[in-house]
């Protein structure tokens, strides 16, 4: 076997053992493993595997790790580039801090923060639930109590926590606690997860100021909750906006159109309130 084939076979073994791999996906992988062990040509079996996975891959319906593997064997390794999670596990410097926000699908929550000066890392993941090391399928199935969220590691000398909270309000519908835009379900509910009393005070004051501003007819229902363990999501989800640019643009366009209408309504609401006070 060539080094490339050995690496692919190692990926297959890891996927077979991965608890997040679906039963049907695992059956296809095991079929290849047994065929190769019986003397079949690896490339022939790999081509058969690719063909069996293709219909689900075209519908974006493979599990995240299987999707990365599919990109590798179809000549798109850049889409499966390994995201460095070491910063999530490393200790923070005295001038660094972390913020955790949930605001619907985490694919659209990364770029707005990632583009800000002073941001060290933005990591997609799951938090607020009751299951250890949840998978994407478990979270979207609403079996674990987790929400999709982003963990932001930032330099407090450059950007303040209050600035990140203010940006968060601009990215969500704070009057909807059943999801966000087209993303429905408890795993998409908006939450500010606070890590200490200072963050809690800032988040609460910001929420109260938003409620008092009169921008929204409906109550501000975004939750503020104590931070729980943050589990980084599968590699496929990290920096989705960079690796899947066209798909991300379509999702972000829909999100921005919704928020633009909402912001227009807010301006009209404030204008009407000023008119009534005259």
């Amino acid at each position: 076997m060539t080094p490339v084939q050995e690496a692919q076979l190692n990926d297959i073994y890891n996927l077979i053992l991965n608890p997040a791999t679906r039963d049907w996906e695992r059956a296809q992988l095991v079929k290849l493993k047994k065929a190769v062990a019986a003397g079949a040509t690896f490339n022939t079996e790999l081509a058969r595997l690719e063909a069996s996975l293709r219909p689900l891959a075209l519908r974006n319906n493979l599990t995240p790790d299987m999707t990365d593997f599919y990109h590798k064997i179809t000549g798109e390794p850049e889409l499966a580039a390994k995201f460095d999670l070491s910063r999530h596990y490393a200790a923070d410097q005295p001038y660094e801090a972390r913020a955790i926000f949930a605001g619907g699908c985490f694919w659209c929550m990364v770029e707005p923060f990632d583009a800000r000066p002073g941001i060290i890392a933005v990591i997609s993941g799951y938090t607020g639930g009751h299951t250890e090391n949840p998978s994407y399928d478990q979270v979207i199935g609403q079996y674990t109590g987790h929400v999709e969220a982003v963990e932001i590691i930032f330099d407090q000398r450059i950007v303040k926590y209050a600035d990140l909270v203010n940006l968060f309000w601009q990215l969500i519908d704070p009057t909807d606690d059943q999801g966000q835009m087209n993303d429905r379900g408890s795993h998409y509910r908006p939450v500010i997860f606070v890590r200490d009393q200072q963050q809690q005070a800032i988040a609460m004051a910001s929420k109260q100021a938003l409620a008092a501003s009169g921008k929204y007819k409906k109550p501000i229902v975004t939750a503020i909750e104590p931070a729980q363990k943050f589990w980084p999501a599968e590699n496929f989800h990290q920096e989705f906006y960079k690796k899947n640019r066209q798909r991300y643009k379509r999702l972000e366009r829909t999100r921005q159109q919704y928020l633009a209408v909402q912001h227009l309504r807010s301006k009209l609401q404030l204008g009407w309130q000023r008119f009534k006070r005259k």
Side-chain angles (χ1 to χ4, degrees), residues 3-12 42 46 69 72-73:
V4 171
Q5 291 173 332
E6 289 178 353
Q8 291 171 336
L9 192 58
N10 185 63
D11 285 342
I12 289 169
F42 179 80
L46 188 66
F69 174 73
K72 288 180 182 179
I73 67 174

Side-chain angles (χ1 to χ4, degrees), residues 214-274:
K215 289 183 178 180
Y216 300 94
K217 284 186 176 182
K218 298 178 181 178
I220 306 301
V221 294
T222 298
I224 297 173
E225 300 177 5
Q228 300 183 41
K229 185 172 179 61
F230 183 91
W231 299 93
E234 296 87 344
N235 182 72
F236 170 78
H237 296 298
Q238 305 300 336
E239 293 189 324
F240 184 89
Y241 79 95
K242 291 183 179 179
K243 296 185 293 186
N244 297 272
R245 197 66 190 170
Q246 294 305 314
R247 188 176 172 192
Y248 168 75
K249 282 183 177 180
R250 291 194 297 270
L251 294 169
E252 182 64 8
R253 186 180 304 115
T254 299
R255 186 183 181 99
Q256 289 301 323
Q257 287 172 346
Y258 178 93
L259 291 174
V261 171
Q262 186 185 59
H263 294 160
L264 176 59
R265 288 174 178 167
S266 297
K267 290 181 180 179
L268 294 174
Q269 174 75 3
L270 289 174
W272 175 246
Q273 290 177 354
R274 286 194 294 266

Side-chain angles (χ1 to χ4, degrees), residues 271-278:
W272 175 246
Q273 290 177 354
R274 286 194 294 266
F275 175 79
K276 287 196 299 183
R277 288 195 294 266
K278 290 183 179 179

Side-chain angles (χ1 to χ4, degrees), residues 133-205:
N133 197 26
S135 69
Y136 180 67
D137 275 7
Q138 289 176 320
V139 173
I140 65 172
Q142 302 182 56
Y143 306 127
T144 67
H146 290 87
V147 294
E148 292 191 12
V150 290
E151 177 186 64
I152 302 158
I153 304 172
F154 61 100
D155 187 332
Q156 298 181 92
R157 300 170 302 182
I158 300 173
V159 61
K160 303 302 181 186
Y161 180 72
D163 299 327
L164 301 182
V165 173
N166 288 336
L167 175 57
F168 170 72
W169 293 126
Q170 298 172 38
L171 302 176
I172 68 162
D173 177 357
T175 69
D176 185 358
D177 60 359
Q178 302 300 308
Q180 287 292 290
M181 295 67 166
N182 294 328
D183 303 324
R184 310 315 300 165
S186 61
H187 58 301
Y188 288 132
R189 65 189 182 93
V191 186
I192 299 175
F193 290 96
V194 293
R195 295 171 55 86
D196 52 39
Q197 291 184 346
Q198 183 181 27
Q199 286 193 355
Q200 165 125 8
I202 293 171
M204 287 295 296

Side-chain angles (χ1 to χ4, degrees), residues 17-59:
L17 297 174
N18 188 337
T21 301
R22 295 179 191 143
D23 291 342
W24 180 86
E25 294 173 337
R26 185 175 289 107
Q28 307 311 305
L29 298 167
V30 170
K31 185 176 180 179
L32 178 147
K33 177 185 174 184
K34 289 181 177 179
V36 171
T41 303
F42 179 80
N43 282 346
T44 300
E45 291 303 310
L46 188 66
R48 180 203 59 77
L49 175 63
E50 187 277 325
S52 68
L53 297 177
R54 191 184 309 147
L56 292 181
L58 293 175
R59 296 198 297 270

